[in-house]
């Protein structure tokens, strides 16, 4: 019998850091980042970079192009918009991050019509079809896993609705879904899908990763308004196994190691582990009387956003569990005081989650509202 895959890389049961990003980083990654300096125009770099896009494509489930850049996830919201240079976008909003992407579009001079769904409710593809029938949009922006509410949109159904009812580009924030729960860039017909390294890839923050479809790249070649994040430059340099500008080589050494780890677990295996983690949280929450902020059947696999049972303060719970050495997320935005969030993504194992849940039980007893 083969031994079960150890996602922690040698520290099972030891994870104490459960933010919904940045996430806990295993020892092998921290060591990979300590690699001695190399120049980014030399052979050592191009040998390293040659290994990255083909394996990233396996995680993003595409035969197309996936690129990396030194950036937070927010920079790639800009990349999606600047490279496409749309005049008008439909911004599907249902939480703090989707709201911010709409604000980002406006800041870049793009007209953004907001199609709003209540926080915690998934976006309704039929509503998106209706909005697309009423006006002409160049693109639709959608956040797959809304980290602020712990809700998961049906991105496949949304992309299908967009494609069937318009020729708008589908721009997807898969920041807290890709590498943690199913994301199928090609099969779902996405045009741009972006994430940051500090989420389910379980690397330190600082690296942006994004997929772009053929038609997105074609259009970007014709009319991009981007400079630092210009896709056609990234593509041209990727041909030479380089990046256009000085990259964070420590992150790329780390990504190189992490892609081996992810593919050894297998992409589906990683999804299954995240599925088991979120199911365990659901079972525990139900037993303890904590309720989900997101609707049933539309919950993220990587972050659980919970309202504590009556009589327990979410903010006190986060503080009490911190005293026990565990970091979890507080509520976000307008849900700051009323919810707490457990990030269970990246290289977290079930044994560590059990230790956290036990600590939360002890803490809840001391966290009176
Ligand atoms: N999108 C989602 C869904 C997020 O959860 C976050 C950060 O938590 C972001 C975008 C922004 O990422 P960054 O802080 O790397 O810019």
């Amino acid at each position: 019998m083969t031994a079960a895959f150890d996602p922690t890389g040698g520290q099972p049961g030891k994870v104490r850091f459960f933010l919904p990003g940045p996430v806990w980083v295993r020892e092998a990654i921290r060591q990979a980042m300590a690699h001695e300096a190399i120049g980014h125009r030399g052979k050592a770099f191009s040998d390293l970079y040659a290994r990255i896009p083909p394996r990233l494509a396996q995680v993003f489930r595409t035969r197309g192009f996936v690129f990396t850049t030194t950036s937070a996830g927010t920079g790639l919201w800009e990349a999606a918009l600047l490279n496409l240079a749309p005049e008008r976008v439909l911004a599907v909003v249902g939480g703090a991050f989707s709201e911010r992407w709409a604000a980002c579009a406006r800041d870049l001079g793009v007209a953004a019509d907001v199609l709003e769904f209540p926080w915690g409710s998934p976006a309704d593809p039929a509503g998106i079809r209706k909005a697309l029938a009423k006006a002409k949009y160049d693109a639709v922006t959608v956040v797959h896993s809304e980290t602020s509410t712990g809700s998961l949109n049906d991105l496949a159904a949304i992309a299908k609705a967009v494609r069937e009812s318009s020729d708008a580009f589908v721009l997807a924030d898969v920041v807290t879904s890709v590498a943690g729960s199913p994301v199928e860039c090609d099969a779902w017909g996405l045009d741009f899908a972006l994430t940051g390294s500090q989420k389910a890839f379980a690397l330190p923050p600082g690296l942006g990763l994004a997929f772009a479809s053929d038609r997105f790249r074609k259009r970007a070649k014709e009319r991009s308004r981007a400079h630092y994040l210009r896709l056609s430059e990234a593509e041209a340099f990727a041909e030479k196994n380089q990046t256009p500008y000085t990259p964070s080589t420590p992150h790329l050494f780390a990504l190189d190691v992490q892609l081996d780890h992810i593919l050894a677990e297998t992409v589906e295996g990683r999804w299954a582990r995240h599925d088991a983690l979120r199911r365990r949280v659901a079972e525990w929450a139900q037993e303890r009387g904590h309720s989900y902020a997101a609707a049933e059947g539309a919950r993220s696999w990587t972050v659980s956003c919970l309202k504590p049972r009556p009589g327990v303060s979410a903010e006190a719970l986060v503080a009490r569990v911190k005293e026990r050495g565990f970091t979890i997320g507080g509520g976000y935005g307008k849900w700051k005081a009323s919810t707490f969030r457990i990030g269970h993504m990246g290289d977290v194992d079930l044994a560590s989650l059990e230790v956290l849940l036990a600590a939360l039980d002890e803490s809840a007893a001391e966290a009176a509202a």
Side-chain angles (χ1 to χ4, degrees):
M1 211 178 95
T2 49
F5 186 83
D6 170 14
T8 68
Q11 290 188 282
K14 297 280 171 27
V15 180
R16 298 291 179 267
F17 191 75
F18 294 88
L19 283 184
V23 303
W24 178 78
V25 175
R26 56 197 184 91
E27 182 58 30
I29 296 300
R30 292 193 278 143
Q31 297 206 358
M33 292 197 74
H35 194 286
E36 67 182 12
I38 60 168
H40 61 288
R41 298 290 178 233
K43 184 172 180 321
F45 183 84
S46 49
D47 287 350
L48 165 69
Y49 201 69
R51 297 193 291 271
I52 304 275
R55 284 179 298 158
L56 271 181
Q58 292 183 52
V59 183
F60 280 76
R61 312 281 272 199
T62 177
R63 291 167 178 275
F65 183 59
V66 182
F67 72 103
T68 67
T69 183
T70 307
S71 168
T74 302
L76 291 177
W77 284 346
E78 289 203 3
L81 295 164
L82 290 171
N83 280 290
L84 195 67
E87 271 160 32
R88 181 168 291 270
V89 299
L90 181 68
V92 178
V93 167
F97 290 103
S98 41
E99 244 167 53
R100 275 169 49 187
W101 200 0
C104 166
R106 277 183 231 110
D107 284 345
L108 297 177
V110 177
D113 290 352
V114 167
L115 178 64
E116 190 145 17
F117 295 93
W119 277 41
S121 300
D124 175 16
I128 296 171
R129 276 180 207 269
K130 258 193 223 152
L132 291 170
K134 279 196 209 134
K136 164 111 184 77
Y137 293 102
D138 300 303
V140 175
T141 63
V142 57
V143 173
H144 189 198
S145 162
E146 234 315 335
T147 321
S148 59
T149 63
S151 54
L152 187 71
N153 277 318
D154 186 343
L155 184 55
I158 291 170
K160 186 166 184 280
V162 175
R163 292 204 165 259
E164 285 176 358
S165 50
S166 75
D167 57 6
F169 287 78
V170 181
L171 311 181
D173 170 324
V174 294
V175 168
T176 47
S177 55
V178 69
S181 65
V183 171
E184 299 278 0
C185 286
D186 285 354
W188 294 354
L190 307 181
D191 287 301
F192 198 90
L194 65 104
T195 191
S197 50
Q198 77 278 19
K199 304 289 188 177
F201 273 88
L203 298 173
L207 197 64
L209 314 167
F211 151 80
S213 70
D214 289 349
R215 73 170 188 146
F216 185 101
R217 283 150 60 200
K218 182 168 178 292
R219 162 115 160 203
K221 269 204 186 96
E222 290 156 12
R223 58 185 287 176
S224 173
R225 280 206 283 262
H227 181 82
Y228 175 60
L229 294 166
R230 186 175 283 252
L231 197 58
S232 54
E233 286 289 294
E235 234 185 305
F237 277 81
E239 299 272 308
K240 307 182 274 184
N241 298 318
Q242 289 185 7
T243 56
Y245 312 109
T246 314
S248 171
T249 41
H251 279 93
L252 293 171
F253 282 120
L255 179 60
D256 186 37
V257 171
Q258 187 66 340
L259 283 166
D260 278 347
H261 180 75
I262 291 173
L263 297 178
E265 183 174 24
T266 75
V267 175
E268 290 85 350
R270 203 167 175 86
W271 295 343
R273 177 168 50 79
H274 285 79
D275 190 23
L277 292 167
R278 62 125 180 186
R279 284 177 191 282
R280 177 64 190 114
V281 173
E283 181 187 69
W284 167 83
Q286 187 173 20
E287 281 167 14
R288 303 299 190 271
H290 307 307
S291 57
Y292 276 84
E296 174 134 37
R299 292 179 188 148
S300 172
W301 292 24
T302 61
V303 51
S304 294
C305 179
L306 296 161
K307 295 183 227 172
R309 66 170 173 260
V312 175
S313 150
E315 288 177 304
L317 183 61
V318 175
R320 294 292 88 77
V321 84
K322 180 91 185 163
E323 288 163 7
R324 292 181 161 79
F326 297 83
T327 303
I328 63 167
Y332 199 97
K334 65 184 180 189
W335 283 2
K336 190 169 176 25
S338 57
T339 62
F340 63 98
R341 294 175 305 150
I342 305 173
H344 33 79
M345 73 184 99
D347 291 334
V348 174
D349 62 331
L350 203 49
S352 298
L353 179 67
E354 291 296 352
V355 183
L356 169 71
L357 297 180
L360 280 167
D361 284 341
E362 285 174 20
S363 305
E366 300 162 7

